[in-house]
Amino acid sequence: MPVIALRVRGERVHPRPTDESDVCLPTFGNERVYTRLARAREMLTMAKRTPLYKRHLHMGARLIEFAGWELPLQFAGVNREHAAVREHAGLFDIGHMGVVTVRGARAEEYLQRLLTNDLHRLSHTGKILYSCMCRHDGGILDDLLVYENFEEGLLLVVNAATTQSDLDWMWQQADEMGYDAAEVSIAHRADMSMFALQGPAAVDLLQPLVTCPLEQLPYYNGMPVRMRDKGLACGRGPAILSRTGYTGEDGFEIIAPADMVSALWDRLIETGAVPCGLAVRDILRLEMGYCLYGQDIHVGTTPLEAGLDWIVSFKKQEDFIGRAALERQRRDGVAKRLVGLVVGDKGIPRRDCPIYACGRLVGAVTSGTYSPRLDHGIALGYVETVVAEQRPPVGIIVRSRELAARLVDLPFYHPAKPARAAAKA
Amino acid sequence: MAQVKSELRYTRSHEWVAVDGGIATVGITDYAQEQLLDIVYVELPAPGARIEQNQACAVVESSKVAADVMAPVSGEIIEVNDALNNAPELINSAPYGDGWIYRLRVDDLSQLDSLLDAEAYQAHCESEQR
């Protein structure tokens, strides 16, 4: 996208140029995009591939580079994939996510000091915890899931773009906290891959293929999983299935060795699951108001600002990294808050678009897209706390035009058979 | 492989042009619509507006990106494809047919000589892919 300098009401507003690692789709009449495309092509040749890569090629997926991985952007098209997930079942290759195990006699204590949420909330075997990992100033290093009781330790699923920096940070902190290898050992499980099946038909499609009873599995719970058909040569190595996801629909995520991921993927495609790419994944998660690390949350935002106070435990005994800063912020109040915005006019808000209220610049968009369900542009963005509380009408500047928008509660969209409605623990 | 039509002329910015008498019909190419993903909004130019060659005169927008549609030659807009207001996906499904975007009366037909023919446009797309 061209980097446009806007002059709005006398103020010069510079959108932040997109990251070099973004593959830019060609715009028309902008020479700069060609250099970035060339750079992106270089990165593409060094990019990592998931076990499902060849299948994506075979299906004619459009591939892009994302966080150092070559992944499908779309298969049949965003509109068709979106309908499939909201009405039937979609398949997502999420083999780029980082799988990290933490084992040792003091693994749980270490994670209590590292993460904002309280592992004691994993009150029973199988529960999964969503948490932030913060810096000392409260800035978010990553958001992640914690699975317990995995190979006598805990398992973390972290974002692809931050896997290496997370590992470096975790090793460094374990060291600084004085743990030795027997007490805390952290390993990147590059031998494990992941995929997600999301949609109202997920249980129907997956149950014939796996032995564990899916209907009763509560939301945000996981369990070991085995293929029903022993003839499919897999079953080496541990595999976990969880009732989690990034779309708001009922569905599952599976962490397993490559051969099991591939076998299940093939079977699910045969029985009617629709393969989906990163483009529709972004729309689905944004319709639910879920944050994307690197856009809506990053080191410049705290969990309290991002509306993630519910995964920060001020009650747990352990002093976790960032606790003091977050306690101060909780006491003093946050200056900005992440809010949901719906556009009234035709137009799509984009990352870094300025937000105006009462004639003043009050914030900026962090993620924006067009929602097929709402038939309008939607966005997440940070605004001054007073704006978040009072919800005046706002204007979002998109390519020198001001689009009328309003602040709304999240999620933007309420699925008919939501993940949350699944059997409660 | 994106479709390129031999009877049309093209721009480096991925517009196609069909000329009949002094009237040019303009749209975006198959290659362009593939890159954009499903188009959800189209901002059409105003009939009667005067535009210069290489000036941005329309916008096509997908959930992923918004892109300017340039004028391949200078002229006056005489007609726009209103169907795109309710069915922007026509640009994806029929970029050279029902997905046409606007028509203009060409000021100077010799400007068409500066456009690419099908072969040159194909080569241009391939060089972008490399």
Side-chain angles (χ1 to χ4, degrees), chain A residues 2 5 18 25 37 50 114 140 188 241 252 283 321 361 383:
Chain A
T18 47
L25 301 174
L37 270 177
T50 70
L114 188 77
I140 303 173
H188 178 204
L241 172 151
F252 305 93
I283 298 173
I321 300 175
L361 179 68
V383 295

Side-chain angles (χ1 to χ4, degrees), chain A residues 133 141-142 158-159 162-171:
Chain A
M133 183 165 74
L141 288 168
D142 208 357
V158 299
N159 284 296
T162 45
T163 303
Q164 194 53 58
S165 57
D166 287 351
L167 286 163
D168 292 340
W169 171 262
M170 289 174 74
W171 283 317

Side-chain angles (χ1 to χ4, degrees), chain A residues 385-404:
Chain A
T385 302
V386 64
V387 173
E389 284 164 357
Q390 292 179 3
R391 297 197 174 179
V394 298
I396 305 178
I397 310 297
V398 179
R399 289 188 347 267
S400 316
R401 253 180 54 216
E402 182 166 337
L403 300 179

Side-chain angles (χ1 to χ4, degrees), chain B residues 25-48:
Chain B
T25 305
V26 183
I28 63 170
T29 65
D30 193 24
Y31 177 86
Q33 70 79 16
E34 269 183 358
Q35 299 299 317
L36 287 173
L37 310 188
D38 289 344
I39 293 171
V40 296
Y41 289 138
V42 180
E43 259 174 57
L44 296 167

